[in-house]
Every structure is written in C-alpha cells, then in structure tokens.
Amino acid sequence: MAAEVREGRVGHTEGVPFVSRAVELGRLETALRHGGPGGPAVVDLAGEAGIGKSRLLAEFGALARRHGATVLCGRASEYERHIPFQPFSDAFSDLDARTLRVLPSLRDLPPVLRGGGEAAGQPRPDDRFGLHRTTANALRRVRGARLVVVLDDLHWADPASLELVDRLVRHPVAAPFLLVVARRDRQAPAALTATLARGADTGTVTRVVLGPLGERDCVEELARDLPRRAAAEMYAASEGNPLYFLALLQAHRTSRPPAAGHDRALGGGAPVGLEALLLDELAPLEPLERAAVEAAAVLGDHATAELVAALTAAPLTDIGPALGRTMRRDLVRAHQDGRRLVLRHPLIRALVHRTTEPWRRQDYHRRAAVELARAGAPLVERAHHVELSLTGWDPEAADLLTRAAEQTAVTAPATSAHWLEVILDILPDAPRHRERRRELMLLRATTLGTAGALRESRDLFHQVIHLPGPAAGRRTDEGDALRTTAVLQCAVVERQLGRYAEADALLRRELDRRPGPSPTQRIALVVEWCCRAQFVARFPEVRDELARTLADARALGDTLGEIGAVTLAAMSEAYEGDTAAARELTRTAARLADALTDSDLTELCEPLVRLSWAEVMLDAYADAERHTVRGAAVARRTGRLYMLSQLLLCRAYVHFLTCRVTSAIELADEAATIARALGSGEFLGCTLALRALFLGQARPPGHPEVLEDAEEAAAAVQGSSDSWWSTLARSLLGFAAMGAGDPHRARDVLFDAGGGKDLHLLQPSLLPEYLELLAAASLAVGDTAEADHAAGRALKEAEHIDLPTRRAAALRALGRVEAHRGNPAAAAHAFAEAAQESARCGATLREVQGLLLAAPFARAAGDGARAADMWRRARRLAAEGGAVQLAALADQRDPEPPGDPDGPQAAADPAAGLARLTAREREIAGLVAEGLTNHAVASRLFLSPRTVESHVARVYRKTGVPSRAALA
C-alpha cells in the first residue's frame, strides 16, 4: 500500500542520473526490510556537500514506496535553523487524507510537528520532552504500512529537532518505522554526531557513508558524449564529487570555462571552483529574473509565484514569465505539490542568499514577514524573517521576537534564547531601556538554564545582578525585586552545577545587603540557603534558622514561603532519620499543598519535589505518587524541567519499591533524558544510579548492563563534592557490584562513598539498607565479624528510624548472618518478619525479596508447606511486577513440594512442561526461542512488555527451564 507523498522531493534531483550507488542503496533497502522492532531504527547517511546524499535519498524514497511504505520527506535549511522542529514539520506538514487513512495515529502528532506552529489561542504546548513522548507514542501506534521519515541536511537542523532525533535514537519506537537522516560529517553539530555514534554502537543506527564516485562511473555514465581525456580531466578536477563533476560538465557544454583551481571552501561547503561556476549561471539573468531567484532563496520552502511577486514588488503578470525563464535554465524547479517553487540545490540557495546585496536581502525578509503575517503563518516563521530584516532598533520587531521567544521557551528553549539575544543586541544602551534589558536578560538566563546551558545561564544571571540600578528619580522597588529574583535563580543554578560554596556566598551577600530584600523575598532566600545546606548534608547547622523562617512565613501569611520552608524541613528531617518530626512536617505540608489549586502550584514545583521525596522516605508511597503526578503535570505545563525530572525520578522509585519495575525504568529513562539535556552532572549521576538499581531487577542475575550503567553514574559525579546526590550515585554502585558477583568491590565502594567503615557520609535514614549490603558482602568475603557488626548496627539504626522498610532491611541482614551460622529456623524467621514489615507499607519488591530468602530456610527447618506458600506468592508478585531477577532467584531456589502439578518438580520432563502451556504461552515461548527479546515479542503480538514478561515467567515455571537458551 504505497502513499505518493511528495515523491522525489528530497534533493529535488529528479533529472540527475543515478550512478554507482547500488551498494549503498542495498544497505538502505536492508534497513527498510529489517528496521523497526528488533532491527535498526535510524539510518545515518553521511558525506560531504554534493557527494550525492540527496540523490540517493530520492532513489531510496521511490524504492520504499514500491515496497509499500509511506515515505515523508523533510529538509533542514541553513537559513531556517532557528525555527523549532523545522525538518520534522517540513516532513509532516503535507500529510494528506489518504496518508492519514493509512496511518491514523499520525493525527496525534503535536501541531508544531505538522507545520501548525504554536498560534495564539491554542493550548499551551507540553514541555519539549512531553512533546517527544507524544511524538513517539503517535509513531509507536503505526500499524500496517511501514512509515519512513527522511530528513535531509540534518547538519543544519535546529536544536529542538536534534533533541527529538536523540530521543528516537535512545528509545526506538516499537513500530514499523524507520528514520533516515542525511548530514555532512564535518558540519554536523557535536551533539548529533555523538547521538548517532552511540546509536551505531548499540545497533539502533545503521551508518552509511558516501565516498567519491569512481572515475569509470563518472566518465562512462555521465560524460559519454565527451572525449575520454577531457572527461578524465574533469573527473580529476572534481575529485569524484558528482555535483562538481556535473557543474564542470555543464560549463564545458555551454562553452563557459571553469574557474581556476578546485580547492575546497572553508566550512565544508561547496568547492571554490563550483561556486564560481554557479555564479556564472546567475550572470546572464535579467534584473527581474535575478530578483525572482533572490526572492525564492529568501522564501525557501514558502516560495510561490505570488510571494515572489510580493517580495519583488513586480506584477504577477511579469514575474510569471521571469520565473518560467529561470526554470528553463534549471535554476528554479516546481515543487512536487505543484504550487511551490524550489531552487535546484541547497548550495545554489545558499550562494544566492549570500551574494544578494545586504540591503535588498533585508528588504526581502521584511516583506516576507509581512506577507506571511497576512497569510496567518506561525509566529516563529515570521520571527525568522523579522530577525534577518533587522538593521537597528525596531520596537515592533522586538515585541514580535519577544512573543516568539516566550512561545517557544518551553518546547524550544535554545531558539527562545537565541531570539532574546537578538533583541538584546539591538536594544539601545540607554537609561530608559535599563529595566527592559534587565527583564530580557533575566528571561534569557532562565531559558538558557532550561536548554541545559547552565554555565551560560549562571554567567548571565551574574550580569543581571551587577547591572546598574534604575535611572535617577524612579522607584527602586521593581529593580531591587528583579535583582533579588536573579540572585535566587542564580543560586539554584549554582546548586544544579554542584557549586554549593558559590551558592552560599551569593545568598549570604544578598541577605546581608542594605537595604535588604522584601520580607517575602528574604524568606525565599533563606529557604534556598537552607536547601543548599541540606544538599551538602549539613542540615543540622541550619535547622533552627529554617524553623524561624517558617514561623516568619506563617506570621506574614506567606503561603508560598510557608510551604517552601515546611517541605524542606520535612525532607531534611526524613533524610536525617528523625521520623517523628518528619511525619508531622509532612502532614502539614501535604495539607497546604492539597488545599491549593493547580494554578496556585505554578511556583511550587520544587516544594512538591521535596514533599514527594519526604513521603517516599517515610514509606508513604501512595501519597508520594499522588503528589508526583500532580507536580509533574504542573512542571510540564510551566516548563520547569529541572523539577519535572526529579518528580519523574521520585515516582520511578515509588514504582520500583511497589514492584512495578517496567514502568519504573520507563520513568527513570525520561528523567535521565531530561537530566542529560539540563547538564547537571550530579543529578544525572543520581538518576543513572537509581536507574541502574531498577535495571538490576529487570535483568537476569549478573547481567553486565547493570554494572555498566552504575559505573556510568559514578563517573558522572567524579570529582564532585560529598553532596547528597553524588554520594548516593557512588554508593549505589555497591549494589551493582554485588549483583555482578564482586563482594570485595561492593565493600570498597561503600567504604569509599561513606567516608570510611563507619559510613558517616551516607544518608542516615538509609543506613539499614547500606548495612544490609555490607553484611552480605562481608559474609561473601569471609569477614564474619564485619557482618555481625553490620547486622547489629542495622538493627539499632532501624529501631531509631522506626520505619517498616528500615526494620525489614535490618532483619534481612540478621537473617543472612543467622543463615551463615547454620540456624535455618532463625534465618527463616528473620526473613519472614522482614517480608511482613515490607508488606505493611506496600513495599512489594522488598516483600518478595524477604519471602524468597525465607522460603528455602523454612523448608530446611521442616516447614515445607509454609515454604511453598511463600515461594508461590513471591514468584507471582515478581512475575507480575516485572522483577526478572527475583523471578530468576525464585526459580533457582525451587522450594515447591513434589506434588504440585504446576511446580518445577513436575516439569522435569520438558515435553510434559510444554504440554501444560496455554496457546498464548506456547506462542510466546516459540518467539522467545527464536531469539526475540520481550519488547520485540510485545511489538509482534501487540501486547505490553509487562504482559509478555508475565507469560515468559509462567513458561519458565511450567517447563522448569532457567533461561532463554534452555527454552530454545
């Protein structure tokens, strides 16, 4: 079922012969046949300018359609690189009714990707990572026809498009979807190169590199009518670049001598000789023809005869024939849609745009902005032309660019920051503009932080802080408030960068300034100062100051200040292990938060982060999830991505502890994607470390990916201070090392992260968990005394903290020691009690862990029935929750009594085990035996990965096999 969507569009190379690319086309066809679930998701086509990438893409597009694929084509442009998602919107903007009938899920693509922009009156768009998720979900639901999206010239893509490509490489959609990107290697942004290289390493990306054409192909296929020697000389001059060879050939046939030399231009663009030849093509044009070509170069993909006439101020009756003459010269071509016009090649557009007199080029862009506004074009497309038309200060243009920057601040912050910089560059340096300059700089600094340019954001905040005050005779309240806001936001950025001492100095200086900040701003400054102390594990030093600030906020009726202070106090007390105080503060904070509307919570994303983490640390998982869901919705809507990533991570931890491992990893993946984009090394390390912890349960025991991810997390915080996040990232490596069978390293990691054998640097409220790990590692290396000490200390710490999960961890440590001593009854009792404690608060994953540890010792102590009951419950909960490691542990321990018809003992005969499988289980078992992953099976059968995991677990149990290889 082929969809004729803009066939031949990529490269506009319909008339160029297809020469000597059969091997590369074959690789693209292979990717088409095998792309999607279980195969490559992206093709990276790389090569220099003019080497034939666009021509190969055009041929591949035709081939893909013959195979029944729907092909959508887009191109990034050198002169639209600040329009968000431009190549994607170029590809998706022409979705017609026929294509949408074939692929109805594409109706759910975000409007900005379908060329609709973000017009006034539309609902505010999701955050850019939510937009990525919406896009992936629409693509994931592609069924039936294969979808191929081709993006040419991606080295010119805007930052928002590059982020979306990164998302599709990191998390390939499980659908018959293939993304093909073409780029110039040397001009591609480093981020794009790194994304595609990482995808090639993991098998997600297939890399195809185009080199020079062979001499025989050029001479015999493209220049048959020329003497062999002359064609060979042209080939040598072209260095095998087909575009340059064809230009030389055209020059020879029209008796125009080529320019001397054929050195490459700087920047990886056209060869110098080629540029001269292209200029020669423009030389014979009449003035109106040249103006028409220039206008088309300015308009790009918007070029139509009517718009060209408007830009040149020529009657349509005159411009039509002029365009016809340029088309006969093959400078301008008709677009596939029959309305628009395109220049023959992007190099010609770039050359024409660059060689147009600056004042005429600016006037063209000014007129283009006017005409596009009249046609109702999206604001960001008009902003692009307004920017390129500026010659000096223009209040109306500045207002339009400001609105465009505000509109794109959430979905494309890098573009937003760029437009704000344009305004600041032309804003007169006069006293009457001082407050506007401060406001724009403050907005740009915030946007840069959202875009992940934390250091640049911090530097700009410092510039705002040190700007001169308002002009003489004006009130200073507004200027002082903006300055204090800049200090507060700058301190948050310093904290994100792990520069806690700098944040401390900045906040102290502002608090000591005279005249000082307003009472409400002072409360906000003190809360941030105390938050900085909490992050470096020095909360006891500021506990009294925070209590005074909370009292001040209540006395002032400052609800924002009160909830900020009380949530920080709640989280800090929970971190320190003062459970009684933390519970009381958390209840107060929850009452305050629940009484506010979502609009009231706009400025309270971070307090919701702190409240949620406090609730997690207090084993209140339902409350924590409720607040993370609400907070994430507010954070997405308002673009507070730093807070969104923390809320996602907190919710992921809740899902992990309540044995929803698959969704925990999905949430952690999104949090990690945001953390990478934000550029906060400590938070990224913390996120990756927790993800590795979750992954440890989603992979079989000893799987190398778990340790690799944990090591990446520890490397991300290398050289950081002993902050909460960096210590957590380093200490969690110990769990991965233990899972990899290296107890010596697990102990070393704990002692290093904890500041010695007393572990004084580790989070006090989590000490029982760390001590449980230490006891297990010490027993494994034969240090029984260390294990006894660790278990005894864990019991004391758990008694002090007084929380079910901490008591459970201490009991598991005790159970390990009792088992080592040869006391199966005592070990079984300790492990079973640990399971009961975990069940009390809903920590299902820890309950499963306790049950599986208890079952074999209960059986050894003579209580086989109880052991079987514990095993059955644990095995079921583990399978339902996607806890692969615990399910594998259950299968290894196998305490089922012989009489159980579904137990592994009854499945000793593989044929008998297979006979007991249901039809669906047999179908899934067959696919697993073929080597398909659970995700690939889920995609093949249109099931959720979690459902497949449950079926696979039942297959293992019924057949008695321990692995995929054994099942095969």
Side-chain angles (χ1 to χ4, degrees):
M1 182 173 354
E4 301 299 321
V5 183
R6 305 193 324 186
E7 184 164 3
R9 160 93 191 281
V10 175
H12 317 297
T13 53
E14 304 85 11
V16 179
F18 185 67
V19 175
S20 185
R21 297 298 190 196
V23 172
E24 292 86 352
L25 183 61
R27 294 192 63 193
L28 287 169
E29 184 177 12
T30 299
L32 175 68
R33 291 180 182 276
H34 301 289
V42 180
V43 174
D44 172 24
L45 179 61
E48 64 180 56
I51 204 66
K53 300 184 297 297
S54 298
R55 183 66 187 88
L56 178 59
L57 290 179
E59 195 71 18
F60 171 65
L63 182 148
R65 292 184 186 94
R66 289 196 298 272
H67 280 288
T70 296
V71 182
L72 302 176
C73 303
R75 178 193 291 280
S77 168
E78 182 177 6
Y79 298 105
E80 283 85 28
R81 64 177 66 185
H82 292 297
I83 296 180
F85 304 105
Q86 190 266 331
F88 283 97
S89 64
D90 191 28
F92 289 121
S93 61
D94 283 350
L95 285 171
D96 56 17
R98 179 184 176 184
T99 306
L100 291 173
R101 282 197 301 273
V102 176
L103 301 172
S105 70
L106 298 186
R107 299 178 191 275
D108 298 329
L109 287 168
V112 70
L113 291 190
R114 295 183 58 184
E118 300 171 16
Q122 287 184 345
R124 188 179 179 114
D126 217 350
D127 68 276
R128 66 190 197 269
F129 299 101
L131 187 148
H132 299 169
R133 190 179 59 258
T134 301
T135 302
N137 287 339
L139 295 174
R140 188 176 293 115
R141 294 196 302 277
V142 166
R143 294 288 183 268
R146 181 174 293 277
L147 173 63
V148 178
V149 174
V150 177
L151 303 181
D152 201 1
D153 288 335
L154 207 65
H155 50 277
W156 282 325
D158 58 281
S161 294
L162 296 182
E163 284 188 340
L164 181 51
V165 170
D166 182 76
R167 169 65 165 76
L168 294 173
V169 170
R170 285 183 183 276
H171 307 289
V173 296
F177 166 69
L178 182 68
L179 175 66
V180 182
V181 302
R183 64 188 175 102
R184 299 179 194 169
D185 242 341
R186 287 179 292 176
Q187 288 178 267
L192 175 61
T193 301
T195 291
L196 295 171
R198 182 175 56 251
D201 290 342
T202 61
T204 302
V205 174
T206 295
R207 182 169 166 80
V208 179
V209 179
L210 292 190
L213 291 177
E215 180 176 352
R216 181 176 179 179
D217 295 313
C218 280
V219 172
E220 294 186 3
E221 297 293 330
L222 301 178
R224 293 177 180 176
D225 57 326
L226 265 64
R228 177 82 184 207
R229 182 174 178 179
E233 289 176 353
M234 289 182 193
Y235 174 81
S238 73
E239 299 178 358
N241 185 298
L243 180 64
Y244 194 19
F245 183 82
L246 290 169
L248 290 169
L249 190 62
Q250 178 69 14
H252 182 276
R253 287 171 175 161
T254 56
S255 300
R256 287 187 284 112
H262 55 271
D263 295 333
R264 300 286 166 184
L266 294 176
V272 172
L274 176 58
E275 184 169 312
L277 287 172
L278 295 176
L279 286 171
D280 283 347
E281 282 194 72
L282 300 174
L285 296 179
E286 296 293 332
L288 186 57
E289 295 168 355
R290 174 70 190 234
V293 172
E294 291 172 346
V298 164
L299 288 165
D301 282 340
H302 290 287
T304 63
E306 292 79 7
L307 283 176
V308 168
L311 266 62
T312 57
L316 189 59
T317 53
D318 293 340
I319 208 68
L323 283 169
R325 291 190 293 274
T326 64
M327 293 176 77
R328 285 192 290 275
R329 291 179 180 273
D330 198 26
L331 286 169
V332 174
R333 295 176 178 176
H335 191 281
Q336 192 67 26
D337 64 12
R339 269 199 81 245
R340 287 181 285 166
L341 304 167
V342 293
L343 272 72
R344 185 178 74 222
H345 195 278
L347 289 177
I348 294 179
R349 183 189 177 194
L351 180 65
V352 171
H353 193 277
R354 188 169 65 250
T355 57
T356 302
E357 284 88 348
W359 53 89
R360 191 159 68 246
R361 183 172 62 235
Q362 289 161 349
D363 187 55
Y364 284 149
H365 280 293
R366 181 185 60 77
R367 294 186 185 198
V370 172
E371 293 301 321
L372 289 174
R374 186 174 294 139
L379 182 62
V380 293
E381 293 180 8
R382 293 152 50 200
H384 155 70
H385 289 288
V386 167
E387 174 194 345
L388 294 179
S389 71
L390 290 172
T391 57
W393 173 241
D394 182 339
E396 290 185 10
D399 288 342
L400 186 143
L401 289 174
T402 301
R403 285 189 287 121
E406 291 171 345
Q407 192 177 87
T408 56
V410 174
T411 53
T415 295
S416 177
H418 166 77
W419 280 329
L420 290 167
E421 183 180 31
V422 170
I423 304 168
L424 287 165
D425 285 344
I426 62 172
L427 183 66
D429 188 11
R432 62 194 177 93
H433 294 297
R434 192 170 293 158
E435 287 310 300
R436 182 168 189 179
R437 178 175 297 279
R438 193 190 300 268
E439 291 169 1
L440 290 171
M441 289 174 69
L442 192 60
L443 179 58
R444 183 165 186 267
T446 303
T447 306
L448 285 168
T450 302
L454 290 180
R455 287 171 177 79
E456 193 176 350
S457 170
R458 175 199 62 204
D459 293 344
L460 191 54
F461 275 128
H462 278 292
Q463 291 181 37
V464 175
I465 293 166
H466 293 100
L467 279 177
R474 294 186 61 188
R475 290 186 60 186
T476 62
D477 291 356
E478 183 180 351
D480 283 349
L482 283 174
R483 182 187 187 283
T484 302
T485 298
V487 168
L488 188 59
Q489 294 188 21
C490 186
V492 173
V493 173
E494 296 281 24
R495 171 158 58 88
Q496 293 178 47
L497 287 168
R499 291 164 50 92
Y500 300 104
E502 290 78 1
D504 178 66
L506 185 66
L507 292 163
R508 282 180 178 274
R509 186 166 59 246
E510 186 67 12
L511 287 166
D512 293 341
R513 185 172 60 87
R514 294 292 179 269
S518 67
T520 56
Q521 285 197 315
R522 182 176 184 82
I523 288 169
L525 290 168
V526 173
V527 169
E528 176 58 32
W529 180 68
C530 294
C531 186
R532 180 266 332 157
Q534 198 277 328
F535 266 81
V536 291
R538 295 170 63 181
F539 172 71
E541 298 176 11
V542 300
R543 179 183 274 126
D544 293 342
E545 181 67 28
L546 184 59
R548 285 192 293 271
T549 301
L550 176 57
D552 291 343
R554 286 169 173 163
L556 286 170
D558 178 5
T559 303
L560 295 181
E562 180 182 4
I563 196 169
V566 75
T567 54
L568 177 58
M571 183 183 71
S572 301
E573 297 293 4
Y575 174 94
E576 295 292 335
D578 189 341
T579 300
R583 277 200 182 110
E584 182 60 35
L585 290 162
T586 300
R587 282 194 288 265
T588 300
R591 282 197 301 271
L592 289 170
D594 293 343
L596 297 174
T597 66
D598 284 352
S599 59
D600 294 332
L601 290 172
T602 298
E603 301 298 325
L604 292 174
C605 283
E606 186 155 26
L608 281 175
V609 170
R610 295 193 286 250
L611 172 60
S612 300
W613 277 117
E615 289 167 334
V616 169
M617 287 188 273
L618 293 172
D619 295 346
Y621 304 129
D623 291 336
E625 180 157 22
R626 177 167 56 85
H627 287 125
T628 57
V629 169
R630 190 180 185 197
V634 174
R636 289 189 193 280
R637 189 176 65 249
T638 57
R640 286 165 169 77
L641 297 179
Y642 178 59
M643 304 309 161
L644 173 60
S645 56
Q646 294 186 56
L647 287 159
L648 290 170
L649 185 61
C650 183
R651 189 178 178 206
Y653 194 50
V654 170
H655 281 218
F656 171 72
L657 291 173
T658 54
C659 205
R660 290 173 281 172
V661 177
T662 302
S663 57
I665 293 174
E666 290 171 355
L667 289 163
D669 282 341
E670 186 178 359
T673 299
I674 299 173
R676 288 183 194 277
L678 292 176
S680 175
E682 286 193 346
F683 181 61
L684 175 60
C686 175
T687 304
L688 293 176
L690 284 171
R691 183 186 180 278
L693 183 68
F694 308 159
L695 204 62
Q697 286 300 335
R699 299 290 183 269
H703 196 287
E705 184 184 358
V706 180
L707 185 59
E708 290 168 4
D709 281 20
E711 287 173 335
E712 182 187 356
V717 299
Q718 193 68 35
S720 300
S721 60
D722 290 327
S723 69
W724 177 12
W725 284 347
S726 64
T727 301
L728 182 65
R730 295 200 307 274
S731 62
L732 289 179
L733 176 58
F735 290 91
M738 192 67 184
D742 191 348
H744 291 280
R745 187 182 184 192
R747 292 180 77 201
D748 292 342
V749 165
L750 278 180
F751 293 153
D752 177 64
K757 290 191 173 185
D758 63 349
L759 308 181
H760 67 279
L761 293 180
L762 299 185
Q763 182 173 336
S765 60
L766 289 180
L767 269 178
E769 276 86 345
Y770 289 119
L771 290 165
E772 179 195 0
L773 174 62
L774 179 57
S778 298
L779 289 172
V781 301
D783 192 342
T784 307
E786 181 68 60
D788 286 345
H789 175 73
R793 185 181 173 195
L795 289 167
K796 291 179 181 177
E797 296 289 347
E799 184 180 358
H800 165 70
I801 298 169
D802 191 25
L803 286 170
T805 54
R806 308 321 188 267
R807 283 193 293 273
L811 287 165
R812 288 192 300 270
L814 175 62
R816 294 177 191 278
V817 171
E818 293 292 355
H820 183 77
R821 290 172 178 162
N823 299 327
H829 177 75
F831 288 136
E833 192 176 348
Q836 291 170 4
E837 289 286 347
S838 299
R840 280 179 52 204
C841 62
T844 309
L845 187 111
R846 300 305 184 199
E847 178 192 357
V848 171
Q849 187 179 11
L851 290 172
L852 290 177
L853 289 169
F857 294 104
R859 187 178 186 186
D863 195 347
R866 186 181 180 213
D869 288 342
M870 289 191 289
W871 185 90
R872 288 193 195 94
R873 175 172 173 78
R875 186 63 180 78
R876 176 177 60 79
L877 292 173
E880 291 174 351
V884 173
Q885 186 179 96
L886 288 176
L889 176 64
D891 294 339
Q892 290 168 9
R893 302 217 163 181
D894 181 20
E896 287 283 338
D900 188 337
D902 283 334
Q905 298 294 331
D909 177 8
L914 290 172
R916 278 192 299 275
L917 298 182
T918 65
R920 176 64 91 180
E921 288 167 354
R922 184 63 183 258
E923 181 181 26
I924 290 174
L927 294 173
V928 169
E930 290 177 15
L932 272 67
T933 65
N934 287 356
H935 278 278
V937 173
S939 299
R940 178 80 63 88
L941 301 179
F942 305 108
L943 300 173
S944 73
R946 185 170 176 177
T947 299
V948 172
E949 288 168 1
S950 297
H951 280 301
V952 171
R954 285 196 289 273
V955 169
Y956 285 165
R957 182 162 64 86
K958 290 183 179 182
T959 59
V961 300
S963 67
R964 304 174 91 85
L967 181 62

